[in-house]
């Protein structure tokens, strides 16, 4: 498949993923808001839990919720499930296209582990499965009887899973691994818990039996989990385009902090939808945890190594000539409009961050930052304005690992 066609396939899959995600998240947020806005009324039908009156698009709506089920099955029943399935299918396809087909560039960090692409992919899939199984067991265990205790346990579990992923995979790969795991848990809740429970209730109604209320209780708990996980998953989806979020040794911890921040934001809106007093207190922990995330990112931000002339000479003497020539040629063609002492880019007076790459030593002095901005992410060039190809990014990854190998050998 040609590079241009592959780009279009990835683009279209990403577009579909966003569309499906908007549909799923929109319906999820709406029904949580609807559920919290229900009010008791003396005119409600038997077994009805509450009702809500809403106005939209010039019309009025009267919605009634049955906690278990109505006395009889209506002629038409709308199921909300395909939005979730379409989101996961498109997201999984996108993950395969980028992180599995490009495992050597995006999923593997040879500085951590010498993994082959098949092994890295296997570890990723295994991690996703372990994430769902552990979560499901916890929900069905005695921990599931208390939403607070279960939430605390799951936060520690997700933090541990995030840390373990970071120890094995590349920073960006580990970051997205947790996003895919959380997204899979959300969809599995719909596919394996919520929808099957609702189908059993429908079957009981058709058989003129009294529906089991446990199905509704379990479905509501999993739906609530999905509601609170949505914002962290969206953060990870967006964050994979920003190295400041994942190109740090603390990205695994940042994810956990964002899970708390996202939950607090959802709690604020949930309380508002329920007609309760706005929990303004959430602003303090939200701001505090966000600032801590910024600080963790800044502590380990990329910095130039500025090696001594002697060490630069040693690295250059050990470095393969063909790889050196290739990386210098790519840099000359794709980076020289900006990263030179006198940039030719219109309106640019000095190179970004003061980094210029005239000689091989300039690349060596900044090999970590180049790797994080070019190979481990697509942060540079901005918007890929100079059309840096995937195989060229792989050259920078090889350049980084070769420098690292030489340094480790000489130390």
């Amino acid at each position: 498949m040609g590079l241009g066609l592959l780009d279009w396939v990835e683009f279209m899959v990403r577009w579909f993923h966003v569309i499906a995600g908007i549909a799923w998240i929109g319906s999820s947020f709406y029904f949580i808001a609807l559920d919290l806005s229900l009010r008791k009324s003396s005119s409600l039908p038997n077994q009805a839990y509450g009702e809500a009156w809403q106005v939209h698009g010039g019309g009025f709506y009267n919605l009634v919720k049955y906690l278990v089920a109505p006395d009889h099955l209506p002629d038409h029943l709308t199921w909300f499930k395909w939005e979730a399935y379409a989101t996961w299918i498109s997201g999984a396809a996108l993950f395969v296209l980028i992180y599995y087909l490009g495992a050597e560039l995006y999923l593997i960090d040879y500085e951590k582990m010498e993994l082959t692409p098949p092994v890295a992919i296997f570890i990723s899939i295994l991690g996703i499965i372990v994430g769902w199984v552990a979560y499901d067991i916890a929900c069905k265990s005695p921990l599931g009887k208390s939403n607070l205790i279960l939430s605390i346990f799951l936060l520690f579990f997700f933090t541990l899973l995030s840390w373990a992923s970071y120890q094995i995979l590349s920073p960006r790969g580990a970051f997205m691994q947790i996003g895919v795991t959380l997204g899979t848990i959300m969809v599995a809740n719909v596919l394996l818990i919520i929808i099957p429970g609702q189908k059993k209730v429908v079957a009981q109604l058709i058989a003129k039996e009294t529906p089991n209320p446990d199905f509704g209780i379990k479905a509501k708990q999993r739906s609530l989990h999905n509601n609170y996980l949505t914002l962290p998953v969206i953060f990870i989806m967006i964050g994979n385009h920003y190295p400041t979020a994942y190109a740090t040794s603390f990205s695994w911890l940042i994810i956990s902090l964002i899970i708390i921040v996202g939950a607090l934001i959802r709690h604020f809106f949930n309380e508002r939808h329920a007609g309760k007093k706005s929990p303004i207190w959430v602003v303090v922990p939200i701001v505090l945890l966000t600032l801590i995330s910024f600080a963790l990112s800044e502590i380990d931000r990329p910095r130039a190594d500025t090696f001594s002339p002697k060490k630069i000479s040693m690295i250059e003497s050990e470095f393969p000539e063909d790889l050196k020539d290739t990386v210098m040629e790519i840099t000359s063609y794709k980076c020289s409009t900006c990263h030179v002492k006198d940039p030719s880019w219109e309106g640019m007076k000095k190179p970004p961050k003061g980094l210029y790459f005239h000689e091989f030593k300039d690349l060596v002095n900044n090999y970590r930052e180049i790797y994080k901005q070019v190979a481990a992410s697509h942060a540079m060039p901005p918007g890929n304005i100079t059309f840096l190809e995937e195989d060229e990014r792989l050259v920078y990854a090889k350049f980084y690992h070769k420098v690292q190998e030489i340094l480790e050998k000489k130390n």
Side-chain angles (χ1 to χ4, degrees):
M1 185 181 292
L3 185 61
L5 180 57
L6 186 61
D7 283 344
W8 268 104
V9 170
E10 180 186 323
F11 180 23
M12 291 296 101
V13 172
R14 188 184 298 275
W15 188 33
F16 180 74
H17 182 55
V18 171
I19 293 171
I22 290 172
W24 182 24
I25 294 168
S27 62
S28 174
F29 280 10
Y30 171 73
F31 277 104
I32 289 293
L34 172 62
D35 195 62
L36 292 171
S37 67
L38 294 171
R39 299 291 182 268
K40 300 288 186 180
S41 172
S42 58
S43 61
L44 288 173
N46 292 334
Q47 299 185 20
Y49 172 74
E51 69 174 348
W53 280 90
Q54 299 180 0
V55 58
H56 180 75
F60 290 86
Y61 299 81
N62 179 215
L63 300 104
V64 178
K65 176 181 179 179
Y66 293 83
L67 199 57
V68 180
D71 293 328
H72 67 280
L73 191 67
D75 295 332
H76 176 71
L77 192 61
T78 301
W79 294 80
F80 288 86
K81 56 182 180 178
W82 293 110
E83 301 92 338
Y85 301 161
T87 301
W88 187 87
I89 291 171
S90 57
L94 196 60
F95 195 62
V96 169
L97 283 171
I98 298 174
Y99 291 88
Y100 287 176
L101 295 184
E104 192 174 7
L105 184 60
Y106 294 116
L107 201 60
I108 300 172
D109 187 337
Y110 293 104
E111 189 177 354
K112 294 178 181 177
M113 286 191 180
E114 292 281 347
L115 302 175
T116 62
V119 171
I121 293 169
F122 173 77
I123 291 173
S124 172
I125 295 173
L126 181 64
I128 295 170
I129 295 173
V130 168
W132 158 252
V133 171
Y135 162 82
D136 188 52
I137 291 175
C139 289
K140 293 176 179 177
S141 73
L143 292 173
K145 296 179 179 180
S146 169
N147 279 327
L148 177 60
I149 295 176
L150 178 62
S151 298
I152 293 173
F153 170 81
L154 290 176
L155 177 63
F156 279 104
F157 169 70
F158 290 143
T159 302
L160 177 62
L161 194 63
S162 182
W163 175 84
S165 298
Y166 186 85
Q167 304 310 307
I168 301 172
L169 304 174
S170 71
R172 186 176 180 182
F175 193 80
M176 284 304 298
Q177 173 74 13
I178 297 304
V180 172
T181 302
L182 294 178
T184 299
I185 287 173
M186 293 171 65
V187 176
N189 277 337
V190 177
L191 176 66
L192 303 177
I193 303 297
I194 298 174
I195 295 299
Q198 291 176 336
K199 286 185 175 181
K200 289 177 181 177
V201 169
V202 169
Q204 289 171 339
L205 282 172
I206 295 174
K208 307 299 183 181
E209 299 174 356
T210 302
N212 188 343
D214 287 344
F215 296 127
I217 294 172
K218 292 177 181 178
K220 185 174 181 179
Q221 183 188 52
R222 300 300 180 100
S223 181
L224 188 64
H225 291 173
N226 284 4
N227 180 251
Y228 279 101
L229 286 176
T230 300
L231 295 184
V233 171
I234 293 176
F235 175 88
I236 295 172
M237 286 174 60
I238 299 172
N240 87 94
H241 299 286
Y242 294 88
T244 187
Y246 66 79
T248 164
S249 299
F250 299 103
S251 63
W252 60 273
L253 182 56
I254 290 174
I255 287 179
S256 294
L257 296 179
I258 294 303
I259 288 177
I260 300 174
V261 170
L264 290 172
I265 293 173
R266 284 309 307 160
H267 178 70
F268 176 86
F269 285 103
N270 288 344
E271 292 292 284
R272 287 289 301 273
H273 294 319
K276 299 179 182 178
K277 185 178 180 181
S278 299
I280 303 298
W281 61 268
V282 301
V283 174
V284 175
I286 286 174
V287 172
L288 181 61
L289 293 176
T290 302
L291 290 175
I292 292 175
S293 299
F294 290 164
L296 290 174
S297 177
E298 180 66 16
I299 289 173
D300 195 40
R301 68 180 176 86
R303 290 177 174 83
D305 289 281
T306 57
F307 295 123
S308 66
K310 184 177 180 180
K311 182 161 284 190
I312 290 287
S313 178
M314 178 271 293
I315 294 173
E316 192 165 4
S317 66
E318 296 279 338
F319 207 88
E321 284 296 327
D322 57 341
L323 181 56
K324 175 184 173 182
D325 292 341
T326 303
V327 75
M328 287 300 296
E329 181 181 2
I330 296 172
T331 302
S332 176
Y333 277 103
K334 302 297 178 76
C335 310
S336 61
T337 53
C338 298
H339 288 288
V340 289
K341 290 183 179 179
D342 297 307
S344 58
W345 191 270
E346 185 177 356
M348 187 175 290
K349 303 298 182 183
K350 59 181 181 179
K353 295 186 178 182
L355 300 180
Y356 53 85
F357 307 130
H358 290 276
E359 303 177 47
F360 184 69
K361 67 176 183 180
D362 300 325
L363 297 180
V364 174
N365 272 330
N366 297 281
Y367 82 105
R368 289 184 183 277
E369 185 164 1
I370 291 172
Y371 173 74
K372 291 183 178 182
Q373 299 290 333
V374 178
S377 74
H378 279 195
M380 287 291 162
N384 203 21
I385 193 68
T386 56
F387 302 104
L388 196 64
E389 307 290 357
E390 294 300 327
D391 56 345
E392 292 173 328
R393 293 184 187 276
L394 187 56
V395 168
Y396 283 103
K398 292 178 179 178
F399 160 74
Y400 165 82
H401 294 302
K402 191 61 184 179
V403 173
Q404 194 71 23
E405 177 187 321
I406 294 171
L407 289 173
E408 290 176 354
K409 185 169 65 174
K410 293 297 181 181
N411 287 338

